[in-house]
Short mmCIF file of all heavy atoms in Angstrom, two decimals:
data_model
loop_
_atom_site.label_atom_id
_atom_site.label_comp_id
_atom_site.label_asym_id
_atom_site.label_seq_id
_atom_site.Cartn_x
_atom_site.Cartn_y
_atom_site.Cartn_z
N MET A 1 -49.46 -19.46 -54.75
CA MET A 1 -50.23 -20.60 -55.25
C MET A 1 -50.65 -20.33 -56.69
O MET A 1 -51.20 -19.29 -57.01
CB MET A 1 -51.51 -20.76 -54.43
CG MET A 1 -51.33 -21.27 -53.03
SD MET A 1 -50.59 -22.90 -52.91
CE MET A 1 -51.66 -23.85 -53.96
N HIS A 3 -53.39 -21.93 -59.03
CA HIS A 3 -54.47 -22.90 -59.02
C HIS A 3 -55.63 -22.30 -59.77
O HIS A 3 -55.93 -21.12 -59.61
CB HIS A 3 -54.87 -23.26 -57.58
CG HIS A 3 -55.72 -24.48 -57.52
ND1 HIS A 3 -57.07 -24.44 -57.42
CD2 HIS A 3 -55.39 -25.79 -57.58
CE1 HIS A 3 -57.56 -25.68 -57.41
NE2 HIS A 3 -56.55 -26.52 -57.51
N VAL A 8 -61.34 -21.40 -51.59
CA VAL A 8 -61.00 -21.15 -50.19
C VAL A 8 -59.70 -20.35 -50.16
O VAL A 8 -58.73 -20.71 -50.81
CB VAL A 8 -60.81 -22.49 -49.44
CG1 VAL A 8 -60.45 -22.23 -48.00
CG2 VAL A 8 -62.06 -23.35 -49.55
N LEU A 13 -56.56 -22.04 -45.53
CA LEU A 13 -55.99 -23.39 -45.61
C LEU A 13 -54.78 -23.52 -44.69
O LEU A 13 -54.60 -24.54 -44.02
CB LEU A 13 -55.59 -23.72 -47.05
CG LEU A 13 -56.76 -23.81 -48.03
CD1 LEU A 13 -56.25 -23.93 -49.46
CD2 LEU A 13 -57.65 -25.01 -47.68
N GLU A 14 -53.95 -22.49 -44.65
CA GLU A 14 -52.78 -22.53 -43.76
C GLU A 14 -53.22 -22.67 -42.31
O GLU A 14 -52.66 -23.45 -41.54
CB GLU A 14 -51.93 -21.26 -43.95
CG GLU A 14 -51.29 -21.19 -45.32
CD GLU A 14 -50.61 -19.87 -45.61
OE1 GLU A 14 -50.82 -18.90 -44.86
OE2 GLU A 14 -49.88 -19.80 -46.61
N THR A 18 -52.88 -25.57 -39.20
CA THR A 18 -52.48 -25.26 -37.82
C THR A 18 -53.49 -25.83 -36.83
O THR A 18 -53.10 -26.42 -35.81
CB THR A 18 -52.37 -23.73 -37.65
OG1 THR A 18 -51.37 -23.24 -38.55
CG2 THR A 18 -51.99 -23.36 -36.21
N THR A 43 -53.51 -21.64 -30.30
CA THR A 43 -52.93 -21.34 -31.63
C THR A 43 -52.58 -19.87 -31.81
O THR A 43 -51.93 -19.52 -32.80
CB THR A 43 -53.94 -21.71 -32.75
OG1 THR A 43 -55.12 -20.91 -32.57
CG2 THR A 43 -54.30 -23.19 -32.71
N ILE A 79 -60.63 -32.95 -45.22
CA ILE A 79 -60.64 -31.74 -46.05
C ILE A 79 -59.26 -31.52 -46.68
O ILE A 79 -59.14 -31.26 -47.88
CB ILE A 79 -61.05 -30.51 -45.21
CG1 ILE A 79 -62.54 -30.60 -44.85
CG2 ILE A 79 -60.73 -29.21 -45.93
CD1 ILE A 79 -62.97 -29.65 -43.73
N LEU A 80 -58.22 -31.64 -45.86
CA LEU A 80 -56.85 -31.39 -46.35
C LEU A 80 -56.27 -32.62 -47.05
O LEU A 80 -55.13 -32.57 -47.53
CB LEU A 80 -55.95 -30.96 -45.20
CG LEU A 80 -56.30 -29.63 -44.51
CD1 LEU A 80 -55.35 -29.36 -43.35
CD2 LEU A 80 -56.24 -28.47 -45.50
N LYS A 81 -57.04 -33.70 -47.09
CA LYS A 81 -56.60 -34.95 -47.73
C LYS A 81 -55.32 -35.52 -47.09
O LYS A 81 -54.52 -36.15 -47.77
CB LYS A 81 -56.40 -34.78 -49.24
CG LYS A 81 -57.63 -34.20 -49.97
CD LYS A 81 -57.46 -34.35 -51.48
CE LYS A 81 -58.61 -33.70 -52.25
NZ LYS A 81 -58.41 -32.25 -52.47
N ASN A 95 -28.02 -31.14 -48.18
CA ASN A 95 -28.29 -30.99 -46.74
C ASN A 95 -29.77 -30.80 -46.46
O ASN A 95 -30.33 -31.42 -45.56
CB ASN A 95 -27.53 -29.78 -46.18
CG ASN A 95 -26.04 -29.97 -46.24
OD1 ASN A 95 -25.53 -31.01 -45.88
ND2 ASN A 95 -25.33 -28.96 -46.72
N GLU A 109 -47.66 -37.14 -40.50
CA GLU A 109 -48.85 -36.57 -41.14
C GLU A 109 -49.13 -37.22 -42.50
O GLU A 109 -49.78 -36.62 -43.36
CB GLU A 109 -48.70 -35.05 -41.27
CG GLU A 109 -48.54 -34.32 -39.96
CD GLU A 109 -49.77 -34.39 -39.04
OE1 GLU A 109 -50.88 -34.54 -39.55
OE2 GLU A 109 -49.58 -34.31 -37.81
N TRP A 129 -30.73 -41.59 -46.19
CA TRP A 129 -31.47 -42.39 -45.23
C TRP A 129 -31.74 -43.78 -45.81
O TRP A 129 -30.82 -44.45 -46.24
CB TRP A 129 -32.75 -41.67 -44.76
CG TRP A 129 -32.46 -40.30 -44.20
CD1 TRP A 129 -32.39 -39.11 -44.87
CD2 TRP A 129 -32.12 -39.97 -42.83
NE1 TRP A 129 -32.06 -38.08 -44.03
CE2 TRP A 129 -31.88 -38.56 -42.78
CE3 TRP A 129 -32.01 -40.70 -41.64
CZ2 TRP A 129 -31.54 -37.90 -41.60
CZ3 TRP A 129 -31.69 -40.03 -40.47
CH2 TRP A 129 -31.45 -38.66 -40.46
N THR A 173 -48.46 -32.73 -59.51
CA THR A 173 -49.35 -31.58 -59.70
C THR A 173 -49.27 -30.58 -58.54
O THR A 173 -50.02 -29.61 -58.51
CB THR A 173 -50.83 -32.02 -59.87
OG1 THR A 173 -51.23 -32.71 -58.68
CG2 THR A 173 -50.99 -32.92 -61.08
N PHE A 178 -38.16 -25.07 -52.53
CA PHE A 178 -37.22 -24.39 -51.63
C PHE A 178 -36.17 -23.58 -52.38
O PHE A 178 -35.36 -22.91 -51.76
CB PHE A 178 -36.51 -25.43 -50.74
CG PHE A 178 -37.39 -26.01 -49.69
CD1 PHE A 178 -38.11 -27.16 -49.92
CD2 PHE A 178 -37.51 -25.40 -48.45
CE1 PHE A 178 -38.94 -27.71 -48.95
CE2 PHE A 178 -38.33 -25.93 -47.47
CZ PHE A 178 -39.05 -27.09 -47.71
N SER A 182 -38.77 -18.15 -59.08
CA SER A 182 -40.19 -18.28 -59.43
C SER A 182 -40.31 -19.35 -60.50
O SER A 182 -39.83 -19.16 -61.61
CB SER A 182 -40.73 -16.96 -59.98
OG SER A 182 -40.69 -15.98 -58.98
N ARG A 192 -45.97 -24.01 -53.87
CA ARG A 192 -45.73 -23.19 -52.69
C ARG A 192 -44.23 -23.02 -52.54
O ARG A 192 -43.48 -23.98 -52.68
CB ARG A 192 -46.33 -23.81 -51.43
CG ARG A 192 -47.85 -23.66 -51.41
CD ARG A 192 -48.47 -24.18 -50.15
NE ARG A 192 -48.17 -23.40 -48.97
CZ ARG A 192 -48.80 -22.27 -48.63
NH1 ARG A 192 -49.76 -21.80 -49.37
NH2 ARG A 192 -48.48 -21.63 -47.53
N PHE A 196 -35.80 -19.29 -47.47
CA PHE A 196 -35.20 -18.95 -46.17
C PHE A 196 -34.63 -17.54 -46.17
O PHE A 196 -34.75 -16.82 -45.18
CB PHE A 196 -34.09 -19.94 -45.80
CG PHE A 196 -34.54 -21.37 -45.69
CD1 PHE A 196 -33.74 -22.40 -46.14
CD2 PHE A 196 -35.77 -21.69 -45.13
CE1 PHE A 196 -34.14 -23.72 -46.04
CE2 PHE A 196 -36.18 -23.01 -45.01
CZ PHE A 196 -35.36 -24.03 -45.47
N VAL A 197 -33.98 -17.15 -47.28
CA VAL A 197 -33.37 -15.82 -47.31
C VAL A 197 -34.46 -14.74 -47.27
O VAL A 197 -34.32 -13.74 -46.57
CB VAL A 197 -32.48 -15.66 -48.57
CG1 VAL A 197 -32.00 -14.23 -48.71
CG2 VAL A 197 -31.30 -16.62 -48.50
N GLN A 198 -35.56 -14.98 -47.99
CA GLN A 198 -36.67 -14.04 -47.96
C GLN A 198 -37.22 -13.89 -46.54
O GLN A 198 -37.48 -12.78 -46.07
CB GLN A 198 -37.77 -14.51 -48.90
CG GLN A 198 -38.93 -13.55 -49.01
CD GLN A 198 -40.12 -14.19 -49.72
OE1 GLN A 198 -40.69 -15.17 -49.25
NE2 GLN A 198 -40.50 -13.65 -50.85
N GLU A 199 -37.39 -15.03 -45.85
CA GLU A 199 -37.89 -14.98 -44.46
C GLU A 199 -36.96 -14.15 -43.59
O GLU A 199 -37.40 -13.33 -42.78
CB GLU A 199 -37.98 -16.40 -43.89
CG GLU A 199 -38.95 -17.32 -44.61
CD GLU A 199 -40.41 -16.91 -44.42
OE1 GLU A 199 -40.71 -16.23 -43.44
OE2 GLU A 199 -41.22 -17.27 -45.29
N SER A 204 -35.26 -9.08 -40.84
CA SER A 204 -34.21 -8.06 -40.77
C SER A 204 -34.81 -6.67 -40.87
O SER A 204 -34.43 -5.74 -40.14
CB SER A 204 -33.22 -8.33 -41.91
OG SER A 204 -32.36 -7.25 -42.10
N TYR A 205 -35.80 -6.50 -41.78
CA TYR A 205 -36.48 -5.21 -41.93
C TYR A 205 -37.03 -4.73 -40.60
O TYR A 205 -37.03 -3.53 -40.30
CB TYR A 205 -37.62 -5.34 -42.94
CG TYR A 205 -38.50 -4.11 -43.02
CD1 TYR A 205 -38.12 -3.01 -43.75
CD2 TYR A 205 -39.70 -4.06 -42.31
CE1 TYR A 205 -38.91 -1.87 -43.80
CE2 TYR A 205 -40.50 -2.93 -42.34
CZ TYR A 205 -40.10 -1.84 -43.09
OH TYR A 205 -40.88 -0.72 -43.12
N HIS A 206 -37.53 -5.68 -39.78
CA HIS A 206 -38.19 -5.30 -38.53
C HIS A 206 -37.21 -5.02 -37.39
O HIS A 206 -37.65 -4.63 -36.31
CB HIS A 206 -39.18 -6.39 -38.11
CG HIS A 206 -40.43 -6.37 -38.94
ND1 HIS A 206 -40.57 -7.13 -40.07
CD2 HIS A 206 -41.57 -5.64 -38.84
CE1 HIS A 206 -41.76 -6.89 -40.62
NE2 HIS A 206 -42.38 -6.00 -39.89
N LEU A 207 -35.93 -5.22 -37.62
CA LEU A 207 -34.96 -4.89 -36.56
C LEU A 207 -34.90 -3.38 -36.36
O LEU A 207 -35.04 -2.62 -37.33
CB LEU A 207 -33.57 -5.41 -36.94
CG LEU A 207 -33.43 -6.93 -37.03
CD1 LEU A 207 -32.02 -7.29 -37.49
CD2 LEU A 207 -33.75 -7.60 -35.70
N GLY A 209 -33.11 0.21 -35.78
CA GLY A 209 -31.82 0.84 -36.11
C GLY A 209 -31.35 0.60 -37.52
O GLY A 209 -31.92 -0.12 -38.27
N MET B 1 -46.48 -12.33 -38.04
CA MET B 1 -45.61 -11.27 -37.54
C MET B 1 -46.21 -10.63 -36.30
O MET B 1 -47.38 -10.26 -36.29
CB MET B 1 -45.48 -10.15 -38.58
CG MET B 1 -44.69 -10.49 -39.82
SD MET B 1 -42.99 -10.97 -39.52
CE MET B 1 -42.40 -9.60 -38.57
N HIS B 3 -45.55 -7.28 -34.37
CA HIS B 3 -44.78 -6.06 -34.47
C HIS B 3 -45.69 -4.91 -34.08
O HIS B 3 -46.85 -4.88 -34.47
CB HIS B 3 -44.23 -5.86 -35.88
CG HIS B 3 -43.16 -4.81 -35.95
ND1 HIS B 3 -43.41 -3.53 -36.34
CD2 HIS B 3 -41.87 -4.86 -35.61
CE1 HIS B 3 -42.28 -2.82 -36.26
NE2 HIS B 3 -41.33 -3.61 -35.83
N VAL B 8 -45.76 -1.10 -43.29
CA VAL B 8 -45.66 -1.71 -44.61
C VAL B 8 -46.24 -3.13 -44.53
O VAL B 8 -45.87 -3.88 -43.65
CB VAL B 8 -44.19 -1.77 -45.07
CG1 VAL B 8 -44.09 -2.42 -46.43
CG2 VAL B 8 -43.57 -0.38 -45.06
N LEU B 13 -43.17 -6.65 -48.05
CA LEU B 13 -41.79 -6.94 -47.63
C LEU B 13 -41.29 -8.25 -48.25
O LEU B 13 -40.14 -8.34 -48.67
CB LEU B 13 -41.71 -7.02 -46.10
CG LEU B 13 -42.00 -5.71 -45.37
CD1 LEU B 13 -42.11 -5.96 -43.88
CD2 LEU B 13 -40.91 -4.68 -45.67
N GLU B 14 -42.16 -9.25 -48.29
CA GLU B 14 -41.78 -10.53 -48.90
C GLU B 14 -41.40 -10.32 -50.37
O GLU B 14 -40.41 -10.86 -50.85
CB GLU B 14 -42.92 -11.54 -48.77
CG GLU B 14 -43.16 -11.95 -47.32
CD GLU B 14 -44.41 -12.81 -47.14
OE1 GLU B 14 -45.22 -12.92 -48.08
OE2 GLU B 14 -44.58 -13.35 -46.04
N THR B 18 -37.91 -10.65 -52.79
CA THR B 18 -37.87 -11.33 -54.09
C THR B 18 -37.24 -10.42 -55.16
O THR B 18 -36.41 -10.86 -55.95
CB THR B 18 -39.29 -11.74 -54.51
OG1 THR B 18 -39.80 -12.64 -53.53
CG2 THR B 18 -39.31 -12.43 -55.87
N THR B 43 -39.97 -12.28 -62.15
CA THR B 43 -40.44 -12.67 -60.81
C THR B 43 -41.85 -13.25 -60.82
O THR B 43 -42.30 -13.77 -59.80
CB THR B 43 -40.47 -11.43 -59.88
OG1 THR B 43 -41.38 -10.47 -60.44
CG2 THR B 43 -39.09 -10.81 -59.73
N ILE B 79 -33.16 -0.75 -47.28
CA ILE B 79 -34.51 -0.82 -46.69
C ILE B 79 -34.66 -2.09 -45.84
O ILE B 79 -35.14 -2.05 -44.71
CB ILE B 79 -35.58 -0.80 -47.81
CG1 ILE B 79 -35.66 0.60 -48.43
CG2 ILE B 79 -36.95 -1.24 -47.28
CD1 ILE B 79 -36.41 0.65 -49.77
N LEU B 80 -34.21 -3.21 -46.39
CA LEU B 80 -34.35 -4.50 -45.69
C LEU B 80 -33.22 -4.73 -44.67
O LEU B 80 -33.21 -5.75 -43.99
CB LEU B 80 -34.40 -5.65 -46.69
CG LEU B 80 -35.60 -5.68 -47.64
CD1 LEU B 80 -35.48 -6.83 -48.63
CD2 LEU B 80 -36.92 -5.79 -46.87
N LYS B 81 -32.29 -3.77 -44.61
CA LYS B 81 -31.15 -3.85 -43.70
C LYS B 81 -30.28 -5.09 -43.94
O LYS B 81 -29.71 -5.64 -43.00
CB LYS B 81 -31.62 -3.82 -42.23
CG LYS B 81 -32.48 -2.61 -41.87
CD LYS B 81 -32.65 -2.47 -40.36
CE LYS B 81 -33.62 -1.38 -39.98
NZ LYS B 81 -35.02 -1.82 -39.92
N ASN B 95 -30.68 -32.16 -38.08
CA ASN B 95 -30.57 -32.17 -39.54
C ASN B 95 -30.91 -30.83 -40.15
O ASN B 95 -30.21 -30.34 -41.02
CB ASN B 95 -31.52 -33.22 -40.13
CG ASN B 95 -31.12 -34.63 -39.73
OD1 ASN B 95 -29.96 -34.99 -39.83
ND2 ASN B 95 -32.08 -35.41 -39.27
N GLU B 109 -26.23 -13.36 -48.44
CA GLU B 109 -27.09 -12.20 -48.18
C GLU B 109 -26.79 -11.57 -46.82
O GLU B 109 -27.65 -10.91 -46.23
CB GLU B 109 -28.57 -12.59 -48.28
CG GLU B 109 -28.98 -13.10 -49.66
CD GLU B 109 -28.89 -12.06 -50.77
OE1 GLU B 109 -28.99 -10.87 -50.48
OE2 GLU B 109 -28.70 -12.48 -51.94
N TRP B 129 -20.56 -27.94 -38.74
CA TRP B 129 -19.70 -27.24 -39.70
C TRP B 129 -18.52 -26.62 -38.94
O TRP B 129 -17.83 -27.34 -38.23
CB TRP B 129 -20.51 -26.22 -40.52
CG TRP B 129 -21.68 -26.85 -41.24
CD1 TRP B 129 -22.95 -27.00 -40.77
CD2 TRP B 129 -21.68 -27.48 -42.53
NE1 TRP B 129 -23.74 -27.67 -41.69
CE2 TRP B 129 -22.99 -27.96 -42.78
CE3 TRP B 129 -20.71 -27.66 -43.52
CZ2 TRP B 129 -23.35 -28.62 -43.96
CZ3 TRP B 129 -21.07 -28.30 -44.70
CH2 TRP B 129 -22.37 -28.78 -44.90
N THR B 173 -34.52 -10.11 -31.06
CA THR B 173 -35.81 -9.43 -31.27
C THR B 173 -36.50 -9.90 -32.55
O THR B 173 -37.55 -9.36 -32.91
CB THR B 173 -35.63 -7.91 -31.34
OG1 THR B 173 -34.77 -7.60 -32.45
CG2 THR B 173 -35.02 -7.35 -30.07
N PHE B 178 -38.95 -22.71 -37.01
CA PHE B 178 -39.28 -23.89 -37.81
C PHE B 178 -40.07 -24.92 -37.01
O PHE B 178 -40.48 -25.93 -37.56
CB PHE B 178 -38.00 -24.54 -38.35
CG PHE B 178 -37.34 -23.76 -39.44
CD1 PHE B 178 -36.38 -22.80 -39.15
CD2 PHE B 178 -37.69 -23.97 -40.76
CE1 PHE B 178 -35.77 -22.08 -40.16
CE2 PHE B 178 -37.09 -23.25 -41.78
CZ PHE B 178 -36.13 -22.29 -41.49
N SER B 182 -47.07 -22.27 -32.04
CA SER B 182 -47.24 -20.82 -31.98
C SER B 182 -46.44 -20.32 -30.78
O SER B 182 -46.79 -20.61 -29.65
CB SER B 182 -48.70 -20.45 -31.79
OG SER B 182 -49.45 -20.84 -32.90
N ARG B 192 -41.41 -15.12 -37.50
CA ARG B 192 -41.93 -15.71 -38.74
C ARG B 192 -41.84 -17.22 -38.61
O ARG B 192 -40.84 -17.75 -38.15
CB ARG B 192 -41.15 -15.23 -39.96
CG ARG B 192 -41.53 -13.80 -40.34
CD ARG B 192 -40.83 -13.32 -41.57
NE ARG B 192 -41.31 -13.94 -42.79
CZ ARG B 192 -42.42 -13.61 -43.44
NH1 ARG B 192 -43.20 -12.65 -42.98
NH2 ARG B 192 -42.76 -14.21 -44.56
N PHE B 196 -43.14 -26.96 -42.40
CA PHE B 196 -43.11 -27.82 -43.59
C PHE B 196 -44.40 -28.63 -43.72
O PHE B 196 -44.91 -28.81 -44.83
CB PHE B 196 -41.92 -28.77 -43.54
CG PHE B 196 -40.59 -28.09 -43.49
CD1 PHE B 196 -39.57 -28.60 -42.70
CD2 PHE B 196 -40.33 -26.95 -44.24
CE1 PHE B 196 -38.33 -27.98 -42.66
CE2 PHE B 196 -39.10 -26.32 -44.20
CZ PHE B 196 -38.09 -26.85 -43.40
N VAL B 197 -44.90 -29.13 -42.58
CA VAL B 197 -46.11 -29.97 -42.64
C VAL B 197 -47.30 -29.13 -43.10
O VAL B 197 -48.11 -29.55 -43.92
CB VAL B 197 -46.39 -30.64 -41.28
CG1 VAL B 197 -47.73 -31.34 -41.30
CG2 VAL B 197 -45.27 -31.62 -40.94
N GLN B 198 -47.38 -27.89 -42.60
CA GLN B 198 -48.46 -26.99 -43.02
C GLN B 198 -48.38 -26.73 -44.53
O GLN B 198 -49.40 -26.76 -45.22
CB GLN B 198 -48.35 -25.67 -42.25
CG GLN B 198 -49.47 -24.71 -42.54
CD GLN B 198 -49.17 -23.31 -42.01
OE1 GLN B 198 -48.21 -22.67 -42.40
NE2 GLN B 198 -49.99 -22.86 -41.10
N GLU B 199 -47.18 -26.48 -45.03
CA GLU B 199 -47.01 -26.25 -46.46
C GLU B 199 -47.49 -27.45 -47.27
O GLU B 199 -48.18 -27.32 -48.28
CB GLU B 199 -45.52 -25.99 -46.78
CG GLU B 199 -44.93 -24.75 -46.13
CD GLU B 199 -45.50 -23.46 -46.68
OE1 GLU B 199 -45.99 -23.46 -47.81
OE2 GLU B 199 -45.47 -22.44 -45.96
N SER B 204 -51.57 -30.52 -50.44
CA SER B 204 -52.39 -31.73 -50.46
C SER B 204 -53.85 -31.39 -50.72
O SER B 204 -54.53 -32.05 -51.51
CB SER B 204 -52.22 -32.45 -49.12
OG SER B 204 -53.17 -33.45 -48.94
N TYR B 205 -54.33 -30.31 -50.09
CA TYR B 205 -55.72 -29.85 -50.30
C TYR B 205 -55.99 -29.64 -51.78
O TYR B 205 -57.09 -29.92 -52.26
CB TYR B 205 -55.96 -28.55 -49.53
CG TYR B 205 -57.30 -27.92 -49.87
CD1 TYR B 205 -58.46 -28.37 -49.26
CD2 TYR B 205 -57.39 -26.89 -50.80
CE1 TYR B 205 -59.69 -27.79 -49.58
CE2 TYR B 205 -58.61 -26.32 -51.13
CZ TYR B 205 -59.76 -26.77 -50.51
OH TYR B 205 -60.96 -26.22 -50.83
N HIS B 206 -55.00 -29.13 -52.51
CA HIS B 206 -55.21 -28.78 -53.91
C HIS B 206 -55.11 -29.97 -54.86
O HIS B 206 -55.31 -29.81 -56.06
CB HIS B 206 -54.21 -27.69 -54.35
CG HIS B 206 -54.58 -26.34 -53.80
ND1 HIS B 206 -54.11 -25.88 -52.60
CD2 HIS B 206 -55.41 -25.38 -54.28
CE1 HIS B 206 -54.63 -24.67 -52.38
NE2 HIS B 206 -55.41 -24.35 -53.37
N LEU B 207 -54.77 -31.14 -54.34
CA LEU B 207 -54.71 -32.33 -55.22
C LEU B 207 -56.12 -32.70 -55.65
O LEU B 207 -57.08 -32.54 -54.89
CB LEU B 207 -54.08 -33.51 -54.48
CG LEU B 207 -52.61 -33.34 -54.08
CD1 LEU B 207 -52.15 -34.57 -53.30
CD2 LEU B 207 -51.74 -33.13 -55.31
N GLY B 209 -59.22 -35.20 -56.45
CA GLY B 209 -59.69 -36.52 -55.96
C GLY B 209 -59.69 -36.69 -54.47
O GLY B 209 -59.26 -35.85 -53.74
#
Side-chain angles (χ1 to χ4, degrees):
Chain A
M1 288 299 306
H3 194 262
V8 179
L13 294 171
E14 293 172 348
T18 300
T43 61
I79 289 165
L80 296 178
K81 306 192 184 85
N95 294 314
E109 299 294 333
W129 304 89
T173 60
F178 288 91
S182 296
R192 286 183 69 81
F196 300 141
V197 172
Q198 184 192 62
E199 297 292 337
S204 167
Y205 172 81
H206 285 92
L207 295 177
Chain B
M1 290 301 306
H3 194 262
V8 179
L13 294 171
E14 292 172 349
T18 299
T43 61
I79 289 165
L80 295 177
K81 305 193 186 87
N95 294 313
E109 299 295 334
W129 304 90
T173 61
F178 288 90
S182 295
R192 285 183 71 80
F196 300 141
V197 172
Q198 184 193 61
E199 297 291 337
S204 168
Y205 172 81
H206 285 91
L207 295 177

